[in-house]
Amino acid sequence: MLTDQQFQECLAELKVPRVDSWELFLDHHGFKVYRKALPNTALYEYKALGHYPDVPAKLLADVFTDLEYRMTWDKNMVGFKKLDHGVIHYTTKFPWPLSPREYFYEQTTHEPKPNHFCVSSQTVGKTRATDGTLQNFYSSNNYKSMVTLVPSSSYSTPSSGGASSLLAVPGLSGAAASSISLPTPGSESDSKVFKLPPPNKSVRVEEYRQDVVMIPSEDDKGCYVWFGYFDDPKGHIPSSIVNWATKSGIPGFLKGIQDACLRRAATAGPVRDRPATPDSGIEA
């Protein structure tokens, strides 16, 4: 999950985007998408700039975390299942002839102040540091990917709070490991063991990170969003296919979730309660 310091950095970027070291990759449907190579790898992290003028932050957080509803609007989603200890098994299509990809990840949702939302998702067991080193434990401070959706107008950044502590939890001991250690409330030395299901026909993604901060616009009719994304899809995929998939997938998702929000607003009742997650210590 995001620490207080990372949350404050997200808020600062909503006011002044930092894109000097990023390559403009795509400009579509009101969003500028940037990318930056991860050192010593062929992988990229992505960063975009944009604004939803007609989707309130609370509605976006609701739709973003509702996987049942996502099955009705995301054509690339194969399915999902909630497993032990809050782990989610999620499967998505990849362009033909590539195999589907499956993810085992944890998701946390926090509301630091009314209608300000933080949603973080990360695969269990492994992460990649900023120098490109693959590490067999996870901590949200080891790798920070960013996709930033920001408005053309400025946003007033709240004052900073104290930084939250992070857990560094032992994980996989090797490529063939069949279980990982997950953190539990209380002592940082405590853990629960989650058994990874046996492989299926999908390719298992071991590195995935997504962080989202959703903030109301000044008129409360829309929202500004900081959205970070990185994953390693694995396999020897030609760069041309990766570029094509990214250029079609990112705009499709951004437009798809906007349309899904508007349909829910038009047909549904009150916004559902989001699942409770442990207090992150984030201050807004």
Side-chain angles (χ1 to χ4, degrees), residues 9 19 52 60 63 65 77 134 140 146 164 183 185 199 206 212 218 222 237 239 266:
E9 290 173 356
V19 298
Y52 288 121
L60 181 60
V63 172
T65 56
M77 183 178 179
L134 182 61
S140 57
M146 292 184 294
S164 302
E206 296 180 325
V212 190
E218 291 83 356
I237 306 175
S239 59

Side-chain angles (χ1 to χ4, degrees), residues 104-126:
F104 291 89
Y105 68 90
E106 294 177 290
Q107 184 177 85
T108 58
T109 303
H110 300 284
E111 188 173 357
K113 63 184 295 186
N115 295 322
H116 288 58
F117 301 96
C118 301
V119 180
S120 294
S121 303
Q122 183 170 325
T123 43
V124 293
K126 289 188 177 182

Side-chain angles (χ1 to χ4, degrees), residues 162-179:
S164 302
S165 60
L166 295 171
L167 295 179
V169 184
L172 296 174
S173 60
S178 60
S179 66

